[in-house]
Amino acid sequence: MTDGRRRAPRQAEAERNDRALLRAAREVLAVDGAHASVAAIAARAGVGIGSLYRRYRTKEELFQRLATLSLDETNEAAERGLADDDPWAGLAGFIRSCVEFRQGSLGPVAGSIEVTEEMWAKYARGEELLAALVARAHEAGVLRPDVTPVDVSLLIEQLGTSPVLDQLRVQGRDDLIAEAANAHDRLIAIALDGLRAVHTRPLPGDPPGNRLFTERWALRPDACPPSPRRRRSASG
């Protein structure tokens, strides 16, 4: 067997492990927040902790990768929304897509990891796309006029997690998962309906600013990640 043939199965396995790790990281973050440990993530993914550290030197590096992929998914969803001829369907589809891949699950790590230049660039592109989606919906008269792009982003973050679903998964209550998922879908529909222009009562208070994201994601001085040399002893 050539070196290339030997590498192919190992590469495929590494890619499967990476997908499992990223999926597990989202799930553990949804329950444990910023305190999610690499041990819990590896266990949820069904891989050894050594495999995790061969792919990611630190927990911060894992979360940075997860955030980068989430920004890519968000921007792709926004582009699909803008490609829809129906301004309302495009905006609603964007929100639903972001909720489905749990875009809001990364909120708990804000301020605990360094935001890379790549992450900031993707975030800036996402802001442009969302602003275009919102502006188009306003121009069409289908979105209440006092809703801002930041309102939409915060709504996605709120809807992107479901405490009931996460609790039931931890409890292993498979008999209630479908019912809880349906209940969450109903809440999403209620929230989307609240964005419609048919509502005449103005929203309370001043519109939120981008600082809720930019300043929240600024690295806190007390949140320095462990160095790669200490990574094997770090459990979270």
Side-chain angles (χ1 to χ4, degrees):
M1 182 181 291
T2 65
D3 289 344
R5 290 181 179 177
R6 283 197 296 268
R7 281 197 299 269
R10 289 199 296 269
Q11 183 177 355
E13 181 182 5
E15 291 174 353
R16 285 195 300 271
N17 287 345
D18 190 41
R19 289 193 296 270
L21 283 168
L22 293 169
R23 183 171 58 252
R26 278 190 193 275
E27 294 171 355
V28 174
L29 269 174
V31 178
D32 298 340
H35 300 294
S37 71
V38 290
I41 292 170
R44 178 69 65 90
V47 303
I49 199 167
S51 295
L52 186 152
Y53 279 129
R54 279 193 293 273
R55 179 66 180 87
Y56 301 100
R57 293 172 298 173
T58 63
K59 183 169 73 171
E60 181 189 44
E61 191 173 292
L62 169 61
F63 288 167
Q64 285 171 330
R65 174 62 174 161
L66 194 61
T68 300
L69 291 176
S70 181
L71 288 166
D72 282 337
E73 289 180 290
T74 300
N75 293 349
E76 289 167 6
E79 289 169 350
R80 289 195 302 271
L82 287 171
D84 194 313
D85 292 334
D86 185 323
W88 173 255
L91 177 61
F94 163 74
I95 294 172
R96 280 195 171 276
S97 292
C98 291
V99 170
E100 285 175 4
F101 65 76
R102 309 188 76 166
Q103 189 255 13
S105 64
L106 291 174
V109 304
S112 67
I113 63 172
E114 181 179 0
V115 180
T116 66
E117 290 185 9
E118 181 184 18
M119 289 165 62
W120 278 125
K122 292 179 184 294
Y123 169 75
R125 175 57 177 159
E127 280 193 309
E128 294 174 359
L129 293 168
L130 177 55
L133 273 170
V134 170
R136 192 176 68 144
H138 278 152
E139 291 169 4
V142 295
L143 177 67
R144 56 189 307 163
D146 48 356
V147 168
T148 71
V150 177
D151 287 318
V152 174
S153 293
L154 292 172
L155 180 64
I156 289 170
E157 185 169 324
Q158 293 295 317
L159 294 174
T161 59
S162 174
V164 174
L165 266 171
D166 293 332
Q167 183 181 33
L168 291 173
R169 289 191 179 107
V170 171
Q171 293 176 347
R173 292 298 307 273
D174 293 342
D175 57 314
L176 292 175
I177 294 294
E179 185 176 344
N182 180 67
H184 190 229
D185 285 342
R186 288 171 61 87
L187 292 178
I188 295 170
I190 292 170
L192 287 176
D193 186 66
L195 296 176
R196 292 277 195 174
V198 296
H199 301 283
T200 57
R201 180 178 297 179
L203 295 170
D206 297 326
N210 280 331
R211 60 182 294 177
L212 287 177
F213 291 100
T214 56
E215 294 188 17
R216 182 157 57 109
W217 279 88
L219 186 64
R220 299 191 306 269
D222 62 341
C224 296
S227 67
R229 286 177 296 182
R230 289 163 45 209
R231 66 182 184 270
R232 293 194 180 280
S233 63
S235 63

